[in-house]
Amino acid sequence: MNTQLLLIQVFNGLVNGAFYALLSLGLAVIFGMLRIVNFMHGALYMLGAFAAFALGQLLGLGFWPSLILAPLLVGLLGVVLERGLLSRLYGLEPSYNLLLTFGLTLLTQDLVKQVMLSRFAVSSAPYSPPEVLSGVVNLGFVVFPKYRLFVIALSLVVCLVTWFVIEKTRVGAIIRASTENPVVTRAFGINVSGWVTGVFAVGAALAGLAGVLAAPIYSVEPYMGAELIITTFAVVVIGGMGSILGSVVTGFAVGVLAAVGAAVYPPIANTLVFILMALVLLVRPSGLFGLPEGAR
Amino acid sequence: MNKTRTAILALTALLLAPAASAQSLSDGSIKVGVLTDLSGVYSELSGQGSVKAAQMAAEDFMKANRAYAGKVSVIGVDHQNKADVAGNKAAEMIDRQNVDMLVDMPTSSAALAATEVARQKKTVAMVVTGATTALTNEKCNKYTFHYAYDNYMLANGTGTAVTKRGGSSWYIIYPNYAFGQDLNRQMVSAVQENGGKLAAPSDATPFPNTDFSSYLLKAQSVRPKIFGTMQAGNDLVNVVKQYNEFGLKKQGIGLGIGLLFETDVAALGQDAFAGAIATVPWFWNFDARSRQWAGRFEKTFGKKPTWAQAGVYSATLQYLNAVARARSDNSDAVVRALEGHSFDDFFARNATIRPQDHRVLLDVQVVQVKGKSESKEAGDIYKRLNTIPAAKAFMPLSENKCRM
């Protein structure tokens, strides 16, 4: 394989990396703050894509309004889920919320499938990028879809903003305090459960955003999140559970690695991330950017 | 006294005669088992529509053959596209539900598992939606028939048509499982036999897979005349979506599709597929006979039939006709009635059932997907390029590996 093709694949990998980063960022935020292993994250991603499709079909909304509205809707669903179901399991073993979110995933997938088939008469829905972003642009070393460049750029911005808010602002400080020591934080007059709900909603909205971004690239179908979520979990583990920076950096890195892998030796593309995970866990059991247990 | 007795006996025999001569059915009925995907990726192209099609065949058969009125029933069972489930369900249908014949069977691995069970239990199986040529080659058996299409017919039809129309160099990707590997092999040899060449060796992609950008970028740098995809169903939809996204058509790289169903075109929109060439056994607006049947199907099912569903109707009806000819639902008798039989229905044109390997030979159509502006009505997606006659469409016996 020549260096140009390699360079092209590195670049191409950033697109998938963007999706991994957005999704694992949400997972990391939710895990870091709430200690919930949210198995439903893939379904929330799918719901984001489906919402964009449905908003277009039912209300005639284009890509741009959906890019705002769909994540908001998914975030709102996040509030309902956290308040209505997940909050009842706090204090119980983590396997309870794992089972709950897994069950909800199966339920959501089948529900969306039913709706798609009965209401829209398709099992996989078409969705096009907005006019201004359709077509390709010649970057000199490769001809690349404009829309994919937009995905890389927007994801980078969103990841940076999220990292900044959590690590560098007062809001972030409150969130971190609420989860480190809820009792003391409450004593300062801070509404801890309100913040927790907010964090879950933001994590869900991030997944929803990734879904809307994915709709013009992948086919919108009920199981589109199922496959992705497994890789995303691996990304979170490699990056270090709960580490914001770790999930973003690892997300992009894994995307690039998988793309290069697919070009060099296709059969390994999907396995590469798990090989990497095994290697990282051998050397650093808490992940690349994770703090060792007890240091928290 | 004796005379009276003889008279009574004669009369009884006379009264019983029509029924007796019409049939000797094992349990007084014929049960058709549609083994299909009722919930997964192939449920739209087969699934409930296949069950409906088999029911239509049963009704039409009973109307035409009064002696069988009320004796044919159809059940639909979900095999989830999994080989182990398909095997278990096939056994259960035959043993516990007294199914006399299995039909449909999407997914090659599931079809192979179910036909193996049917062989052990001496039950006729008519594979319509499964694609692998193994069914009529190394895995052939006395009770299995392969209807509608197979990988050889797809590759031979499309590979030849596309290569002869100027697609002289190919880069092919295929999903890395039985169906994809088989289809890639067949396609490569069809391309080469027609003077085409591979611009780069074929690549196996993970299955299932959503992101094909790496292969599309490789195609950009290799610059073949045709980008060939052997993916099916949702994977195919993703490939074609991204083929358009990367603007390959504008860069002069055409699209060759191994297996195309009407539902794939619907999922992505006609324009995304416009110009692509594929081989199909049938399509709903092929001619007046086809339209007439498709209209009946649409009236009861609410959707236009796919060729898989039309094939299930045809296969079911041909099985039932064979039962009527054999005057028995005994599998060995039905197989004898099917072997070598020639027929012609709205789906299977100029059809013969080859006795040596049970391949059902029929005319197949090479089609090109129309752009939205070219179609005259909803669902009008194919332009027929040419018909490959039954004798030329399928694997010749000289290449066949079947030992029955």
Side-chain angles (χ1 to χ4, degrees):
Chain A
M1 182 162 94
N2 57 44
T3 37
Q4 185 180 5
L5 193 54
L6 194 72
L7 190 71
I8 290 171
Q9 292 301 348
V10 168
F11 184 73
N12 178 42
L14 292 176
V15 180
N16 276 335
F19 289 112
Y20 296 148
L22 276 180
L23 282 173
S24 59
L25 178 64
L27 269 182
V29 170
I30 291 173
F31 179 79
M33 308 295 157
L34 280 63
R35 299 277 131 184
I36 292 174
V37 178
N38 183 21
F39 239 102
M40 219 202 150
H41 219 63
L44 294 171
Y45 158 85
M46 177 272 287
L47 282 175
F50 176 67
F53 164 73
L55 286 171
Q57 293 288 313
L58 300 175
L59 305 177
L61 290 183
F63 176 79
W64 299 111
S66 295
L67 191 63
I68 310 288
L69 264 179
L72 279 181
L73 285 174
V74 177
L76 212 64
L77 178 70
V79 173
V80 176
L81 282 175
E82 199 277 337
R83 277 296 87 199
L85 298 167
L86 286 166
S87 63
R88 289 158 209 277
L89 301 180
Y90 295 154
L92 292 175
E93 261 190 79
S95 54
Y96 282 90
N97 67 51
L98 207 139
L99 282 174
L100 174 69
T101 50
F102 186 64
L104 286 172
T105 300
L106 300 180
L107 207 70
T108 313
Q109 286 171 344
D110 281 354
L111 214 66
V112 168
K113 187 184 166 184
Q114 284 305 319
V115 173
M116 282 180 96
L117 280 178
S118 57
R119 181 69 184 75
F120 302 108
V122 286
S123 62
S124 139
Y127 198 83
S128 308
E131 201 57 48
V132 27
L133 292 178
S134 57
V136 289
V137 50
N138 197 334
L139 296 172
F141 66 105
V142 63
V143 178
F144 210 68
K146 278 185 213 161
Y147 181 75
R148 291 193 180 224
L149 294 176
F150 165 76
V151 169
I152 299 176
L154 186 71
S155 314
L156 270 176
V157 171
V158 171
C159 289
L160 280 175
V161 169
T162 312
W163 172 80
F164 183 79
V165 168
I166 290 178
E167 298 291 334
K168 305 285 172 197
T169 66
R170 208 182 105 77
V171 170
I174 293 174
I175 294 170
R176 278 177 288 140
S178 306
T179 51
E180 283 298 309
N181 198 331
V183 180
V184 174
T185 314
R186 216 170 263 129
F188 280 104
I190 288 165
N191 177 4
V192 169
S193 62
W195 281 101
V196 163
T197 308
V199 168
F200 191 87
V202 169
L206 283 172
L209 176 69
V212 185
L213 286 176
I217 297 184
Y218 308 125
S219 68
V220 179
E221 47 96 22
Y223 305 97
M224 64 189 287
E227 213 186 317
L228 193 63
I229 194 65
I230 299 179
T231 311
T232 309
F233 266 114
V235 168
V236 172
V237 172
I238 296 170
M241 297 287 289
S243 163
I244 309 282
L245 187 65
S247 62
V248 174
V249 173
T250 318
F252 280 100
V254 163
V256 169
L257 211 68
V260 173
V264 178
Y265 184 59
I268 207 173
N270 281 10
T271 331
L272 210 58
V273 58
F274 301 105
I275 297 173
L276 186 68
M277 181 172 84
L279 289 177
V280 167
L281 288 182
L282 276 176
V283 184
R284 277 186 69 99
S286 49
L288 290 176
F289 295 80
L291 294 170
E293 279 299 318
R296 284 190 164 274
Chain B
M1 186 68 195
N2 242 349
K3 262 187 185 169
T4 328
R5 223 168 73 187
T6 318
I8 290 172
L9 274 175
L11 202 66
T12 322
L14 212 66
L15 281 171
L16 283 172
S21 71
Q23 60 207 279
S24 73
L25 299 179
S26 52
D27 55 352
S29 76
I30 307 170
K31 209 162 185 183
V32 173
V34 184
L35 188 56
T36 185
D37 173 10
L38 291 175
S39 56
V41 286
Y42 302 131
S43 57
E44 220 185 330
L45 62 91
S46 55
Q48 292 296 354
S50 288
V51 180
K52 175 69 20 294
Q55 275 162 356
M56 278 173 69
E59 282 156 23
D60 289 354
F61 174 75
M62 288 189 286
K63 235 177 263 165
N65 299 273
R66 283 283 163 211
Y68 290 92
K71 298 205 164 150
V72 185
S73 62
V74 173
I75 58 166
V77 169
D78 190 3
H79 70 15
Q80 300 168 21
N81 300 319
K82 292 179 187 141
D84 53 337
V85 178
N88 289 337
K89 294 282 178 186
E92 190 185 312
M93 285 163 94
I94 297 166
D95 292 341
R96 305 247 297 271
Q97 298 177 286
N98 297 321
V99 159
D100 297 290
M101 173 263 208
L102 297 174
V103 68
D104 203 6
M105 292 167 267
T107 310
S108 293
S109 49
L112 287 168
T115 51
E116 172 58 21
V117 171
R119 179 189 70 80
Q120 287 163 8
K121 300 187 182 295
K122 300 191 174 190
T123 302
V124 174
M126 292 198 142
V127 179
V128 176
T129 318
T132 179
T133 45
L135 289 162
T136 50
N137 280 277
E138 54 272 25
K139 304 279 182 186
C140 75
N141 73 67
K142 186 181 171 187
Y143 301 98
T144 296
F145 294 82
H146 202 179
Y147 223 84
Y149 83 128
D150 62 30
N151 281 343
Y152 180 94
M153 160 275 206
L154 295 174
N156 176 46
T158 308
T160 305
V162 175
T163 309
K164 282 201 170 148
R165 292 168 76 92
S168 54
S169 70
W170 289 59
Y171 166 58
I172 298 175
I173 61 169
Y174 61 94
N176 207 0
Y177 73 108
F179 156 76
Q181 293 154 354
D182 188 30
L183 187 50
N184 173 58
R185 248 189 324 271
Q186 313 276 7
M187 190 63 88
V188 167
S189 65
V191 167
Q192 287 170 341
E193 267 165 34
N194 286 284
K197 62 175 176 51
L198 294 187
S202 306
D203 274 322
T205 70
F207 171 76
N209 191 32
T210 47
D211 179 46
F212 294 93
S213 54
S214 293
Y215 313 103
L216 291 161
L217 286 166
K218 185 168 172 190
Q220 271 192 19
S221 70
V222 172
R223 308 211 61 80
K225 288 260 175 66
I226 300 293
F227 176 73
T229 163
M230 304 301 115
Q231 272 71 16
N234 210 40
D235 282 19
L236 175 67
V237 170
N238 274 317
V239 177
V240 176
K241 190 167 188 171
Q242 290 159 26
Y243 163 86
N244 282 287
E245 196 198 351
F246 276 82
L248 261 64
K249 197 188 282 177
K250 283 204 192 84
Q251 296 160 42
I253 301 172
L255 183 63
I257 295 174
L259 173 55
L260 182 63
F261 284 99
E262 296 89 332
T263 43
D264 303 326
V265 180
L268 205 48
Q270 238 168 296
D271 284 334
F273 282 93
I277 291 173
T279 308
V280 295
W282 180 84
F283 54 99
W284 73 272
N285 55 352
F286 171 66
D287 64 2
R289 270 164 91 191
S290 303
R291 290 186 73 104
Q292 199 247 336
W293 182 83
R296 275 179 58 209
F297 180 88
E298 194 177 359
K299 211 173 268 171
T300 51
F301 191 63
K303 276 194 232 180
K304 292 202 162 64
T306 62
W307 61 251
Q309 291 156 351
V312 168
Y313 173 95
S314 175
T316 307
L317 191 63
Q318 291 309 328
Y319 167 81
L320 293 171
N321 285 340
V323 171
R325 283 198 304 278
R327 293 166 184 264
S328 160
D329 65 352
N330 174 280
S331 293
D332 293 300
V334 178
V335 167
R336 270 196 301 279
L338 282 168
E339 281 180 342
H341 182 59
S342 292
F343 61 98
D344 190 272
D345 62 24
F346 81 86
F347 175 85
R349 304 302 169 94
N350 299 317
T352 340
I353 302 175
R354 195 156 64 187
Q356 291 90 339
D357 64 346
H358 290 181
R359 173 67 249 174
V360 179
L361 309 172
L362 61 156
D363 290 356
V364 302
Q365 317 298 334
V366 179
V367 294
Q368 186 164 35
V369 181
K370 290 179 180 176
K372 194 86 194 134
S373 55
E374 293 170 78
S375 46
K376 297 189 187 74
E377 58 192 308
D380 175 27
I381 53 177
Y382 292 141
K383 179 168 81 189
R384 192 178 65 88
L385 294 181
N386 61 288
T387 297
I388 306 177
K392 290 217 171 117
F394 294 90
M395 183 186 283
L397 272 181
S398 56
E399 290 175 37
N400 195 282
K401 295 193 261 309
C402 174
R403 301 257 176 285
M404 214 173 271

